[in-house]
């Protein structure tokens, strides 16, 4: 089994752009034999600092899953009504324009690699409802337009983020999964398209404040016939360097001795196995890992090691699930 790795979430954090350091990290990621490709962050350009550097340093054989979360969060800081689910006309138009820019980046990457290397586009249903109004109707209108564009073979999925819940502090505060399912089903039926859903384990656990959250979301998306992808991120209810109930992509809890893990993470081997079973993981279009690391001062090699061990943990769980051990 080969996975999608959100390598950007573990990349070295520096005050200024340091291409040599980033290349050293990415070269380490290239040595991981069980990845099929990476989840790639879009902020407005193909690469936040240097498109050509990116094209020269990626593995040309990788597949790509684009995510707009980093760019969306930046824009929400300037305009609270930004997003494709926004009831504000300007905010929704800006959200659509953002994905039009992403499409150009997808075409540039595919053209450079000489193939349709981008498999999936993860859409997100901003804005945060605590700061601006949003609705299923607005999302439907946006999806109808976005799906009409030529994405050069890439399929659209909504990645569910933690929803706005009354009297609870949300990290993202976007639409509920039920609303996203309703919107996707409506657009698929009206337009004859095949938009799907993807689940991030940590974000669903954060929303529910429980390990039952991811299982419930996976079950709902699967029963709706829309589940396409599952990315594993951890989360903790305890105050840790990753925060308590924060969307910081905490690594899994220890799965094997001397690995690079996070002690209080709710993402245990047992929870990975349960989620794989509920997701019917062998039918998924993509499966992977998205982790951050603490402390931020970790060097490039240590950052690669965290990804290596998280992927090894996922390998162990899929192998055991196949053999019926778990």
């Amino acid at each position: 089994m080969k996975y999608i790795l959100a390598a950007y979430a573990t990349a070295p954090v520096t005050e200024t752009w340091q291409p040599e350091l980033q290349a050293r990290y990415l070269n380490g990621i290239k040595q991981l034999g069980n990845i099929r490709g990476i989840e790639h962050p879009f902020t407005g350009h193909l690469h936040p600092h240097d498109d050509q550097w990116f094209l020269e340093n990626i593995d040309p054989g990788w597949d790509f899953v684009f995510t707009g979360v980093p760019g969306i969060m930046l824009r929400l800081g300037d305009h609270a009504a930004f997003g494709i689910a926004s009831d504000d006309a300007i905010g929704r138009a800006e959200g659509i324009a953002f994905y039009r820019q992403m499409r150009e980046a997808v075409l540039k990457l595919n053209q450079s690699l000489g193939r349709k290397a981008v498999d999936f586009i993860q859409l997100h249903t901003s804005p945060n409802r605590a700061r601006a109004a949003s609705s299923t109707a607005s999302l439907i209108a946006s999806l109808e337009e976005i799906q009409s564009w030529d994405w050069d073979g890439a399929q659209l999925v909504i990645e569910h983020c933690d929803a706005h819940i009354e009297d609870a502090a949300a990290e993202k505060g976007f639409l509920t999964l039920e609303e996203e399912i309703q919107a996707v089903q409506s657009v698929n039926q009206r337009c004859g398209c095949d938009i799907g859903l993807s689940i991030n384990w940590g974000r669903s656990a954060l929303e529910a404040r429980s390990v039952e959250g991811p299982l419930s979301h996976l079950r709902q998306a699967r029963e709706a016939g829309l589940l396409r992808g599952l990315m594993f991120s951890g989360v903790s209810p305890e105050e840790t360097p990753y925060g308590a109930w924060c969307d910081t992509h905490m690594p899994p809890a220890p799965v094997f001795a001397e690995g690079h893990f996070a002690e209080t993470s709710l993402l245990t081997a047992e929870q990975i196995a349960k989620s794989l079973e509920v997701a019917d993981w062998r039918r998924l279009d993509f499966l992977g890992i998205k982790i951050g690391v603490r402390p931020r001062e970790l060097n490039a090699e240590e950052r690669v090691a965290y990804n290596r061990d998280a992927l090894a943990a996922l390998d162990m769980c899929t192998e055991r699930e196949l053999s019926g051990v778990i």
Side-chain angles (χ1 to χ4, degrees), residues 273 276-277 281-282 316-324 326:
L276 291 171
E277 181 180 2
W281 63 275
R282 282 164 287 187
M316 290 175 62
C317 290
T318 56
E319 290 167 4
R320 289 174 180 173
E321 202 277 340
L322 281 171
S323 66
I326 295 181

Side-chain angles (χ1 to χ4, degrees), residues 1 5 11 25 29 63 84 156 190 254-255 261 287 289-290 292 323:
M1 183 71 185
L5 178 66
Y25 166 74
I29 294 297
D63 296 325
I84 59 172
L156 303 178
R190 289 189 197 182
V255 175
F261 298 109
L287 174 67
I289 293 287
K290 181 174 186 174
S323 66

Side-chain angles (χ1 to χ4, degrees), residues 158 160-161 163 175-182 197-199 204 207 216-218 220-221:
I158 289 179
H160 180 66
C161 294
L175 295 189
T176 65
L177 182 65
E178 291 79 8
E179 290 171 309
E180 291 168 348
I181 288 174
Q182 179 186 345
L197 294 169
S198 64
I199 299 297
S204 291
E207 177 181 321
S216 174
H217 286 170
L218 288 167
Q220 289 178 69

Side-chain angles (χ1 to χ4, degrees), residues 296-314:
R296 296 182 183 275
E297 295 75 23
L298 290 177
N299 63 36
E301 291 72 25
E302 290 171 313
R303 291 167 179 274
V304 172
Y306 268 92
N307 284 298
R308 178 200 65 210
D309 292 348
L311 290 166
L314 183 51

Side-chain angles (χ1 to χ4, degrees), residues 190-305:
R190 289 189 197 182
C191 302
C193 55
D194 189 28
I195 302 172
L197 294 169
S198 64
I199 299 297
N200 177 291
W201 195 95
R203 288 171 175 159
S204 291
L206 166 63
E207 177 181 321
R209 297 297 197 271
S210 166
V211 295
E212 295 302 315
L215 300 178
S216 174
H217 286 170
L218 288 167
R219 194 173 293 111
Q220 289 178 69
R222 181 183 167 189
E223 289 175 353
L226 299 174
L227 184 61
R228 303 288 184 268
L230 168 59
M231 296 291 287
F232 283 106
S233 289
V235 70
S236 177
E238 302 179 29
E239 194 55 56
T240 71
Y242 296 89
W245 297 120
C246 289
D247 187 16
T248 51
H249 313 302
M250 193 175 191
V255 175
F256 51 82
E258 300 183 6
H260 295 72
F261 298 109
E263 288 292 339
T264 62
S265 178
L266 293 178
L267 184 60
T268 62
E270 179 185 9
Q271 293 304 323
I272 292 173
K274 285 182 178 180
S275 297
L276 291 171
E277 181 180 2
V278 170
D280 194 8
W281 63 275
R282 282 164 287 187
R283 295 180 180 271
L284 293 175
D285 292 317
F286 65 94
L287 174 67
I289 293 287
K290 181 174 186 174
I291 60 170
V293 295
R294 300 291 186 275
R296 296 182 183 275
E297 295 75 23
L298 290 177
N299 63 36
E301 291 72 25
E302 290 171 313
R303 291 167 179 274
V304 172

Side-chain angles (χ1 to χ4, degrees), residues 27-275:
N27 285 336
I29 294 297
K30 291 176 186 176
Q31 305 309 307
L32 301 175
N34 55 353
I35 65 171
R36 58 179 268 212
I38 61 173
E39 181 182 284
H40 179 61
F42 180 76
T43 58
H45 301 278
L46 177 57
H47 188 269
H49 299 284
D50 188 336
D51 284 7
Q52 192 56 39
W53 176 92
F54 177 72
L55 293 170
E56 291 172 356
N57 282 274
I58 56 175
D59 185 325
W62 279 344
D63 296 325
F64 295 84
V65 175
F66 270 51
T67 176
V69 164
I72 289 169
M73 299 311 293
L74 286 172
R75 285 159 178 77
L76 284 171
D78 295 328
H79 186 186
F82 172 89
I84 59 172
S86 180
D87 288 339
D88 176 83
I90 295 175
R92 192 169 75 82
E94 290 176 350
I96 292 173
F98 174 77
Y99 285 109
R100 193 179 293 278
Q101 291 175 321
M102 184 187 287
R103 176 182 171 274
E104 293 302 314
V106 167
L107 297 178
K108 182 174 184 177
L109 177 56
N110 284 349
Q111 183 178 18
S112 175
L113 295 178
R115 62 187 178 91
K116 296 179 179 180
V118 182
D119 289 340
F120 288 93
I121 306 298
Q122 294 193 118
L123 310 172
H124 299 86
T125 60
S126 61
N128 185 327
R129 275 184 162 162
R131 302 186 182 95
S134 62
S135 67
T136 303
S138 294
L139 177 60
I140 288 172
S142 297
L143 290 178
E144 288 182 342
E145 179 171 352
I146 292 169
Q147 68 81 33
S148 71
W149 306 338
D150 179 8
W151 284 94
D152 201 26
Q155 298 181 54
L156 303 178
V157 297
I158 289 179
E159 182 190 37
H160 180 66
C161 294
D162 65 298
H164 171 72
I165 298 174
E166 293 294 335
D167 301 321
E171 288 278 286
K172 298 294 188 290
F174 297 167
L175 295 189
T176 65
L177 182 65
E178 291 79 8
E179 290 171 309
E180 291 168 348
I181 288 174
Q182 179 186 345
V184 169
Q185 289 178 327
S186 174
V187 174
N188 284 350
Q189 182 175 11
R190 289 189 197 182
C191 302
C193 55
D194 189 28
I195 302 172
L197 294 169
S198 64
I199 299 297
N200 177 291
W201 195 95
R203 288 171 175 159
S204 291
L206 166 63
E207 177 181 321
R209 297 297 197 271
S210 166
V211 295
E212 295 302 315
L215 300 178
S216 174
H217 286 170
L218 288 167
R219 194 173 293 111
Q220 289 178 69
R222 181 183 167 189
E223 289 175 353
L226 299 174
L227 184 61
R228 303 288 184 268
L230 168 59
M231 296 291 287
F232 283 106
S233 289
V235 70
S236 177
E238 302 179 29
E239 194 55 56
T240 71
Y242 296 89
W245 297 120
C246 289
D247 187 16
T248 51
H249 313 302
M250 193 175 191
V255 175
F256 51 82
E258 300 183 6
H260 295 72
F261 298 109
E263 288 292 339
T264 62
S265 178
L266 293 178
L267 184 60
T268 62
E270 179 185 9
Q271 293 304 323
I272 292 173
K274 285 182 178 180
S275 297

